[in-house]
């Protein structure tokens, strides 16, 4: 088995222990990772699109990032990923080293709003990203979406996690879903895979 799948498997075991409360992990150290089937979905979408310029908001310890890195392993792509928690960044770097994908990943440490603002000011990132995963705090999710949209290429995809679960995010995610549906430049579906994945295509 490749190093990537060894690391993914280890993180999956850790995530199961965490979710089932078999492991007592302090709140700010929890992985809060996407499900394995969501990882498979992201991986397949990236491969189908042959996406090369990836952006992730909410890296945690890098489980979703590694699923994305696996998909761009042979196409020369790269990932910019945002995370505010330095301890999680430290763990993610170790995981990326173990999976031998660190060279594909650029970690931006800090608040998502601030980093997205910085990226959006750079001309280079206008319509640059062809695949985006949004998986950070949910109260700012519409703001993140709107800041990201001009940086997404025509035909680019934005995936948003937690559309259906957990229940506590439901109201924020319903607002996001309506917001996306009201934009005629976008095509979107809510998939029931994992915790509910919004798959949004930028048409024009
Ligand atoms: C749900 S977890 C991400 C899980 C990751 N995508 C995965 O599947 O492996 C959300 C992460 O976003 C980070 N986060 C939350 N709010 C943030 C913010 N405002 N700016 C940057 N990172 C944030 C948290 O520290 C946490 O690690």
């Amino acid at each position: 088995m490749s190093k990537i799948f060894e690391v993914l498997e280890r993180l999956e075991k850790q995530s199961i222990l965490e979710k089932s409360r078999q492991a007592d992990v302090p709140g700010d150290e929890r992985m809060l990772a996407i499900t394995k089937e969501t990882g498979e979905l992201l991986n397949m979408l990236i491969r189908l699109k042959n996406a090369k310029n990836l952006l992730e908001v909410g890296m945690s310890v890098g489980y979703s990032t590694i699923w994305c890195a696996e998909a761009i392993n042979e196409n020369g792509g790269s990932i910019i990923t945002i995370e505010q928690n330095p301890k999680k960044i430290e763990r993610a770097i170790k995981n990326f080293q173990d999976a031998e994908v660190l060279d594909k990943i650029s970690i931006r440490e800090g608040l998502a709003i601030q980093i997205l603002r910085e990226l959006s000011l750079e001309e280079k990132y206008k319509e640059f990203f062809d695949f985006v995963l949004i998986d950070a705090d949910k109260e700012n999710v519409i703001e993140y979406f709107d800041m990201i949209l001009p940086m997404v290429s025509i035909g680019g995809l934005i995936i948003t996690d937690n559309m259906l679960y957990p229940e506590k995010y439901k109201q924020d995610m319903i607002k996001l879903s309506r917001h996306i549906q009201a934009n005629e430049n976008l095509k979107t579906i809510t998939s029931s895979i994992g915790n509910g994945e919004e798959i949004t295509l930028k048409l024009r």
Side-chain angles (χ1 to χ4, degrees), residues 143-158:
E143 209 164 346
Y144 297 156
F145 188 92
D146 285 349
M147 290 176 90
I148 288 166
L149 197 51
M151 293 193 273
V152 175
S153 56
I154 307 295
L157 288 175
I158 305 174

Side-chain angles (χ1 to χ4, degrees), residues 31-34 56 58-60 63-64 83-85 88 110-112 135-137 144:
M31 291 170 60
L32 307 169
I34 56 164
E56 177 180 59
M59 170 185 74
S60 187
Y63 177 73
S64 51
E83 174 56 53
Q84 66 173 357
N85 180 326
K88 287 188 173 181
L111 287 177
D135 188 22
D137 58 303
Y144 297 156

Side-chain angles (χ1 to χ4, degrees), residues 11 28 30-35 42 56-65 82-85 88 108-113 115 133-140 144 161-162 169:
L11 294 175
D28 65 341
R30 300 190 72 199
M31 291 170 60
L32 307 169
I34 56 164
T35 66
L42 302 180
E56 177 180 59
V57 186
M59 170 185 74
S60 187
V61 302
Y63 177 73
S64 51
T65 327
I82 302 172
E83 174 56 53
Q84 66 173 357
N85 180 326
K88 287 188 173 181
R108 306 293 171 102
E109 178 175 350
L111 287 177
I113 282 279
I115 290 167
L133 172 64
I134 304 179
D135 188 22
D137 58 303
K138 310 305 169 190
E139 52 277 23
N140 296 309
Y144 297 156
D161 190 34
N162 300 112
Y169 299 142

Side-chain angles (χ1 to χ4, degrees), residues 29-58:
E29 289 179 25
R30 300 190 72 199
M31 291 170 60
L32 307 169
I34 56 164
T35 66
K36 182 179 178 182
E37 57 174 352
T38 299
E40 303 268 14
L41 172 73
L42 302 180
N43 188 280
M44 187 175 288
L45 290 172
I46 294 165
R47 285 175 178 277
L48 281 169
K49 262 204 72 54
N50 193 24
K52 291 186 170 67
N53 299 316
L54 279 56
L55 172 67
E56 177 180 59
V57 186

Side-chain angles (χ1 to χ4, degrees), residues 52 54-56 65 68-69 72 77-81 104-106:
K52 291 186 170 67
L54 279 56
L55 172 67
E56 177 180 59
T65 327
C68 295
I72 56 165
S78 61
I79 306 171
I80 292 178
T81 181
K104 298 177 199 324
I105 299 164
S106 162

Side-chain angles (χ1 to χ4, degrees), residues 145-146 149 178-187 204:
F145 188 92
D146 285 349
L149 197 51
R178 289 190 185 133
H179 180 72
I180 298 174
Q181 281 165 21
N183 186 334
E184 61 186 20
N185 295 324
L186 304 174
K187 189 158 179 56
R204 54 186 89 85

